[in-house]
Amino acid sequence: MSILVTGGAGYIGSHAVQRLLRDGRTVVSVDNLFRGHARAMELLKGAHPGRLTFVRGDVTDGAFVRGLLDEHRVDTVMHFAALAYVGESVDNPLEYYHHNVTGLAGVLRACEQARSPVTRFVFSSSCSTYGQPAPERIPVREDCPQAPVSPYGRTKLIGEMMLRDFAERPAARDWSCAMLRYFNVCGSDRSGLLGEDHTPETHLVPVVLQAALGLRPHVGIFGTDYPTPDGTCVRDYVHVEDLVDAHVRVLDAMRPGTLLAYNVGIGRGYSVREIIDAARRVTGRDIRVVEQARRAGDPPVVFNDPARISRELGWTPGVTSLDEMIASAWRWMLAHPKGYAS
């Protein structure tokens, strides 16, 4: 039996494909390559011959997904395929609802109609479903009220609702589902094969490293007067390989009839200035900073309480050092200054 990874050519999806292949599993990866990278799939095929099938296609086409499930006898789906820029979702909400909500509905319908039963489904959710947690809710636990403030966050919450309803069908006795709510993901595969390559790039760590490389003139700090030790926003950063490890652990923990939800973050926060200072240490380069006004909707502090995932899955982050996280991203960026096009 095979595992279908949707969005498998993207940043997190490609790292998940790599881990599954390393574990000896057979993987079918599907991606429309709007923001994913065919080169990542080529590299993984070369490193793991015979166990990876990559198909270019869109998960909003349910008949196409059904064909993949039947052809490859898929019993497990990891669903990463989604648009994932908060600001873009505000400008183009209908695109986000189409890809993130309609796309998930198409994949679930395909699972329901497939000839071979799909019994396990892992959904890429987000801490953005929590919106702006009240200070007394920090660190954030899984029972924190979910009140997203962006269309992107709302599409992820709707996705969770769809999965809960799907799991409660009378015919779903053998179905199991897990929803993983990520905090800020960073870093690169420590073998150097895969990395983070977005267009446009909005994630703080690669933005800072691009400034260190001279690929952008400066790093903007949006708000320096927050009630935090250095006045800048504080966030939880988790290494991409630790995030993928959480996916593997939850796969192994899933049993028929289970519906699981976990936050994935290291359990402490780093400020924007701490990220920049760590990047200066790691790269040995100066990084110009431009202080700017706050962005609407940015809470001062958000970080995870990892107690549930640690207790129930035995998951703990292997990388908690900010310098180590940034160093893994820096090594890949030095070798690939133009991303996968290098």
Side-chain angles (χ1 to χ4, degrees):
M1 302 297 282
S2 301
I3 296 178
L4 176 68
V5 179
T6 72
Y11 170 44
I12 300 172
S14 62
H15 283 80
V17 169
Q18 180 186 53
R19 170 63 187 270
L20 293 170
L21 293 170
R22 283 176 174 169
D23 288 353
R25 307 190 195 229
T26 301
V27 179
V28 181
S29 170
V30 60
D31 200 294
N32 62 10
L33 298 183
F34 174 55
R35 286 182 174 143
H37 299 279
R39 180 59 180 157
M41 297 295 94
E42 293 168 3
L43 291 168
L44 289 175
K45 276 188 172 184
H48 303 274
R51 286 193 290 110
L52 172 61
T53 300
F54 173 66
V55 183
R56 183 174 184 174
D58 201 307
V59 298
T60 58
D61 183 346
F64 160 72
V65 177
R66 162 79 189 276
L68 290 179
L69 298 178
D70 289 345
E71 179 183 355
H72 298 279
R73 298 183 67 240
V74 169
D75 67 348
T76 301
V77 174
M78 282 190 179
H79 184 63
F80 297 97
L83 297 177
Y85 290 143
V86 170
E88 183 181 68
S89 78
V90 174
D91 294 334
N92 298 293
L94 293 183
E95 283 296 299
Y96 273 68
Y97 282 101
H98 173 66
H99 286 281
N100 296 5
V101 177
T102 305
L104 174 59
V107 174
L108 290 176
R109 178 60 59 87
C111 291
E112 187 175 46
Q113 296 175 345
R115 287 197 298 266
S116 297
V118 176
T119 57
R120 297 184 298 178
F121 196 99
V122 182
F123 178 57
S124 168
S125 190
S126 170
C127 68
S128 67
T129 62
Y130 296 118
Q132 299 182 43
E136 63 271 17
R137 287 284 188 171
I138 306 297
V140 180
R141 299 188 321 206
E142 287 81 357
D143 61 0
C144 182
Q146 291 178 282
V149 296
S150 69
Y152 167 67
R154 284 189 277 273
T155 65
K156 288 298 183 180
L157 181 55
I158 290 170
E160 290 194 13
M161 293 174 174
M162 290 171 59
L163 287 164
R164 291 184 184 279
D165 290 340
F166 192 78
E168 290 175 0
R169 297 168 302 139
R173 286 176 297 179
D174 294 332
W175 171 268
S176 59
C177 176
M179 302 174 291
L180 299 183
R181 301 168 187 152
Y182 314 159
F183 284 71
N184 294 49
V185 186
C186 66
S188 296
D189 149 45
R190 280 163 285 190
S191 75
L193 194 69
L194 303 176
E196 185 171 10
D197 181 4
H198 299 115
T199 303
E201 186 56 76
T202 63
H203 294 177
L204 180 59
V205 170
V207 163
V208 171
L209 295 180
Q210 286 177 353
L213 271 178
L215 299 177
R216 60 175 69 219
H218 64 266
V219 176
I221 297 181
F222 297 96
T224 59
D225 59 348
Y226 286 97
T228 61
D230 64 20
T232 65
C233 289
V234 172
R235 298 290 183 267
D236 192 320
Y237 292 84
V238 58
H239 193 278
V240 64
E241 290 187 316
D242 287 333
L243 174 65
V244 168
D245 183 61
H247 285 76
V248 172
R249 286 176 181 267
V250 82
L251 265 187
D252 293 338
M254 294 168 77
R255 300 291 181 268
T258 58
L259 180 64
L260 306 172
Y262 297 105
N263 293 343
V264 188
I266 67 171
R268 67 150 295 176
Y270 291 104
S271 74
V272 174
R273 290 198 193 277
E274 285 179 302
I275 295 288
I276 295 169
D277 288 343
R280 287 173 174 147
R281 289 193 300 271
V282 167
T283 65
R285 304 189 183 191
D286 186 38
I287 298 170
R288 182 169 172 256
V289 167
V290 175
E291 296 181 358
Q292 298 172 254
R294 291 187 184 190
R295 291 181 300 197
D298 271 349
V301 178
V302 180
F303 63 91
N304 177 44
D305 180 347
R308 177 185 287 184
I309 193 170
S310 176
R311 180 178 65 250
E312 296 183 10
L313 300 186
W315 179 88
T316 56
V319 181
T320 57
S321 159
L322 189 54
D323 286 27
E324 188 176 348
M325 291 186 200
I326 290 174
S328 71
W330 178 240
R331 285 191 296 270
W332 193 82
M333 191 173 286
L334 275 176
H336 306 83
K338 296 181 181 178
Y340 284 104
S342 295

